[in-house]
Amino acid sequence: MLSVGIISVGPGNIMNLYRGVERALGLLQVTPEFKMFQPVIRLVDSADDIDEMFDVLFIPGVGHFAEGMRRLRESGLVSVIREHYENGCHVVGVCLGMQMLFEKSEEAPQIKGLSIIEGEIVKLKSQRIPHIGWNEVVFSEGFPSGYYYFVHSYRALCDDRFVIGKTEYDSEVYPSAARRGNVYGFQFHPEKSSKTGTKLLSNLFERVIRC
């Protein structure tokens, strides 16, 4: 069995991600090698919803850094996320979820992030923000490079050793995908990124199964 948790305490259309995960798992299950794995997807509203660790835990979200962290703290999920990370489970941050994986953000300087990936979140330099629409992500490992869907005004600033994908917007090149061990961050929305996004999620689940 492959267990997938999706944190659902933040703003945004969580069901888009849920359906995106379903599509990716369906794509994976048509291959004979992975047909035996029976995936289970659960929405997670609080620490009380978790009776055992997930193989993959998604942190989605849109909006303000401070509000996102407040919701995680008040639902008791900060410690849950860290426990998954410390036990080698896969943790995946999407959009605001990626930003919260870092130590802090210019958007809310007084608020501490999850501090799983060293670095901070800074505002895009462009005057044309938010950055909305399709843009290219060039991956340096394991995931399909191509065009993905973005909605954001802030971006990660971190050491290159954590960067696995880059994007250029208004002449500024920034990390649009990051990784530390089994923790991944995607600034774009794979669930809104058509077949390329589905393939990315499918590749991610394949990695989890092979671990």
Side-chain angles (χ1 to χ4, degrees):
M1 186 179 75
L2 177 68
S3 60
V4 180
I6 301 175
I7 290 176
S8 58
V9 297
N13 193 339
I14 303 300
M15 292 311 297
N16 277 345
L17 180 57
Y18 188 101
R19 288 187 288 269
V21 167
E22 279 189 319
R23 287 193 299 271
L25 289 169
L27 180 64
L28 195 62
Q29 284 188 290
V30 300
T31 61
E33 185 179 2
F34 301 114
K35 205 167 187 178
M36 69 183 74
F37 288 92
Q38 298 299 314
V40 175
I41 311 169
R42 285 177 53 195
L43 297 179
V44 179
D45 293 321
S46 73
D48 295 336
D49 293 336
I50 300 177
D51 47 22
E52 61 182 5
M53 301 265 232
F54 293 103
D55 296 309
V56 189
L57 181 62
F58 281 89
I59 314 169
V62 295
H64 199 280
F65 186 89
E67 177 65 10
M69 287 304 305
R70 182 188 69 79
R71 288 172 181 251
L72 290 181
R73 284 195 307 272
E74 291 184 356
S75 56
L77 289 169
V78 170
S79 60
V80 168
I81 293 167
R82 292 204 60 86
E83 187 177 1
H84 274 71
Y85 159 62
E86 289 165 2
N87 282 274
C89 302
H90 287 72
V91 176
V92 184
V94 175
C95 195
L96 178 62
M98 171 179 171
Q99 295 179 11
M100 293 189 295
L101 293 172
F102 288 86
E103 296 170 289
K104 58 183 178 179
S105 173
E106 281 185 353
E107 190 174 26
Q110 74 282 10
I111 302 298
K112 184 179 179 181
L114 293 167
S115 301
I116 292 175
I117 302 178
E118 296 169 24
E120 62 182 306
I121 302 302
V122 299
K123 198 168 190 177
L124 288 167
K125 294 177 181 178
S126 175
Q127 297 301 307
R128 297 188 299 123
I129 54 174
H131 170 207
I132 300 178
W134 296 86
N135 204 345
E136 187 177 18
V137 179
V138 178
F139 279 99
S140 58
E141 67 160 70
F143 295 110
S145 296
Y147 282 81
Y148 293 83
Y149 191 79
F150 289 81
V151 183
H152 67 114
S153 299
Y154 290 80
R155 57 87 150 191
L157 181 64
C158 63
D159 192 279
D160 277 347
R161 73 183 187 276
F162 299 122
V163 179
I164 61 171
K166 292 183 178 182
T167 293
E168 182 176 350
Y169 181 64
D170 264 7
S171 301
E172 180 181 9
V173 178
Y174 66 89
S176 49
R179 177 186 180 186
R180 181 179 181 182
N182 288 338
V183 177
Y184 295 85
F186 302 119
Q187 182 58 67
F188 50 87
H189 289 271
E191 76 280 7
K192 296 181 180 180
S193 298
S194 191
K195 292 181 180 179
T196 308
T198 300
K199 181 61 176 173
L200 177 143
L201 291 173
S202 181
N203 286 6
L204 174 69
F205 292 128
E206 184 175 339
R207 289 182 178 209
V208 174
I209 292 169
R210 290 187 184 278
C211 275

